[in-house]
Amino acid sequence: MPRKVIIDCDPGQDDAVALFLAMASPGELDILGVTTVAGNVPLALTQRNARMMCDIAGRRDMRVFAGCERPLRRAPITAEYIHGATGIDGVDVFEPDTPLEAQHAVDFIVDTLRNEVPVTLIPTGPMTNFAAAIEREPSVLDNVEQIVSMGGAMREGGNRSPSAEFNVLADPHAAEIVYNCGRPVTALGLDVTHQVLSTRERVARIRELGNDVAAATAGMLSFFHRYDTRKYGSEGAPLHDPCTVAWLLEPDLFQTKRCNVSVETDSELTMGHTAVDFWHVTDRPHNVDWAYTIDADGFYDLLVERIARFGD
Ligand code: RIB
Ligand code: CA
């Protein structure tokens, strides 16, 4: 039986590829809905971008919801300098046919978790929507099988501040709620996502697949890498968000270790820092399975194999 999932995202080129990977895998993943949140770009764009990806993937039946347009407590931050003004530069923007559901994403999450069991939550942006749902009705957690999040960093330091990764920095209070919700949480942070760079060779492999999803993916990745290439001097951008879906599809591509992950929510200097107690030097509860290695070639083999399915 496919695993029931809700994907919460802020497209974002890498979120878009995560959606493609999930939509290519109906045998393993039953996507109950895609919820969107303000993050890389404002909510009006992230919801439009998510719906565009459903059109491109031929999934105009997908239920897409708009959620929180700002973090739980902090002022919004965005990342147009990485993702472009549209949030998905590298693909031509159009008004999608996939409709936007009238229901607020948080209401959808609460209603779904009341009625469906078990459900896996996949946040690939600031975790505001899931945290708001948990705060509103903690009992919904009983039906959450697992949470597989993209966010945080240990050895890699920060990508938005010297000490914080974007998704957690954007809404540190939400991340703290999710990491400490008591349900199984797997966190894929920069320590693994920085190992899966979208090199020219890998982007070419995707483009050669010759279907609409492959063309959109190659176009977005050909734009998305520019900032990281300049910043890190590496070739290609880290393909952050698809690591969540890849972990669900092929967990053996990763190594994880159960440990404590705590979030800085007070210091402005280190706001959003994820303190990962990898060596268990404290007695803090082991609340997260922290991913620390990834088979990068195996990841791209999976991505190419799944995107090829859109040409069948
Ligand atoms: O730090 C990387 C994360 O921030 C990714 O999810 C990217 O899409 C942005 O949301
Ligand atoms: Ca994202």
Side-chain angles (χ1 to χ4, degrees), residues 9-12 36-52 80 84-89 93 96:
C9 54
D10 63 332
T36 57
V37 67
N40 288 317
V41 288
L43 179 65
L45 295 182
T46 58
Q47 62 89 346
R48 189 275 316 274
N49 295 345
R51 293 189 291 124
M52 273 181 55
E80 289 89 348
T86 68
I88 48 168
D89 280 27
V93 168

Side-chain angles (χ1 to χ4, degrees), residues 1-23:
M1 277 293 280
R3 179 193 290 257
K4 294 176 181 177
V5 302
I6 296 173
I7 301 174
D8 188 82
C9 54
D10 63 332
Q13 291 88 345
D14 56 327
D15 302 75
V17 179
L19 289 173
F20 287 152
L21 184 57
M23 288 189 276

Side-chain angles (χ1 to χ4, degrees), residues 87-235:
I88 48 168
D89 280 27
V91 68
D92 293 337
V93 168
F94 58 88
E95 184 52 36
D97 295 329
T98 304
L100 179 70
E101 299 283 336
Q103 188 178 30
H104 190 283
V106 175
D107 295 332
F108 165 74
I109 293 165
V110 170
D111 288 353
T112 301
L113 292 178
R114 275 200 196 112
N115 302 312
E116 298 272 0
V117 57
V119 178
T120 293
L121 307 179
I122 309 174
T124 65
M127 298 178 231
T128 315
N129 287 335
F130 287 149
I134 294 167
E135 279 200 312
R136 182 193 300 177
E137 193 160 326
S139 64
V140 299
L141 282 169
D142 296 343
N143 291 345
V144 173
E145 179 176 41
Q146 187 146 34
I147 299 173
V148 187
S149 66
M150 190 281 137
M154 178 182 162
R155 295 185 178 90
E156 279 298 308
N159 61 357
R160 179 54 181 260
S161 79
S163 52
E165 177 277 325
F166 177 84
N167 286 340
V168 177
L169 177 59
D171 198 338
H173 301 93
E176 186 176 53
I177 289 168
V178 170
Y179 288 157
N180 296 301
C181 73
R183 303 301 298 144
V185 178
T186 296
L188 298 120
L190 300 184
D191 298 63
V192 293
T193 68
H194 279 190
Q195 305 308 311
V196 285
L197 301 181
S198 55
T199 62
R200 275 189 293 272
E201 182 272 334
R202 287 163 171 166
V203 173
R205 275 182 74 192
I206 292 169
R207 190 185 303 280
E208 283 156 17
L209 294 171
N211 61 55
D212 291 348
V213 170
T217 299
M220 288 190 288
L221 296 187
S222 300
F223 173 87
F224 178 52
H225 79 85
R226 296 177 190 178
Y227 175 79
D228 289 278
T229 300
R230 275 197 310 274
K231 174 178 178 181
Y232 297 110
S234 56
E235 185 203 342

